[in-house]
Amino acid sequence: MKNLFLKKMIPIFVFALGILGAFGTMSMQSAEELAPKTGWATNHLGQPCTLQVQCSDTGVTMCRVNYPSGQIAYDKVGNTCINALFRP
């Protein structure tokens, strides 16, 4: 009787474990999406942190106002631009 119960329950357990694994994997992928961030760059008059551009926290390519050769955009903290941002 005990052996018959295990034979019937193991496939159900494996199926439930697979479903939970699939949902867990999908939630991890959505957590890796890039977060939009407002970047700030120096304008043509030399005033720092005055031009706005849409950037991201993470990435490979630097975020610039006029891509690819414009000013690099930075994260603004108070009145100071400190951390370089990336293209979304």
Side-chain angles (χ1 to χ4, degrees), residues 15 20-21 26 28 41 46 57 62 65-66 69 73-74 76 78-79 83:
F15 179 77
L20 290 173
M26 292 302 291
M28 293 296 284
D57 294 277
M62 298 302 267
V65 175
N66 294 319
S69 61
Y74 294 91
K76 189 174 184 180
N79 291 332
N83 298 326

Side-chain angles (χ1 to χ4, degrees), residues 15-84:
F15 179 77
L17 189 62
I19 294 291
L20 290 173
F23 281 114
T25 303
M26 292 302 291
S27 67
M28 293 296 284
Q29 288 175 352
S30 62
E32 294 177 9
E33 291 180 10
L34 301 177
K37 189 115 178 153
T38 301
W40 298 87
T42 304
N43 67 9
H44 67 284
L45 298 174
Q47 298 168 331
C49 301
T50 52
L51 292 176
Q52 266 186 330
V53 63
Q54 194 63 27
C55 299
S56 175
D57 294 277
T58 59
V60 178
T61 308
M62 298 302 267
C63 185
R64 296 178 181 266
V65 175
N66 294 319
Y67 186 78
S69 61
Q71 294 286 328
I72 296 174
Y74 294 91
D75 189 14
K76 189 174 184 180
V77 177
N79 291 332
T80 309
C81 293
I82 53 171
N83 298 326

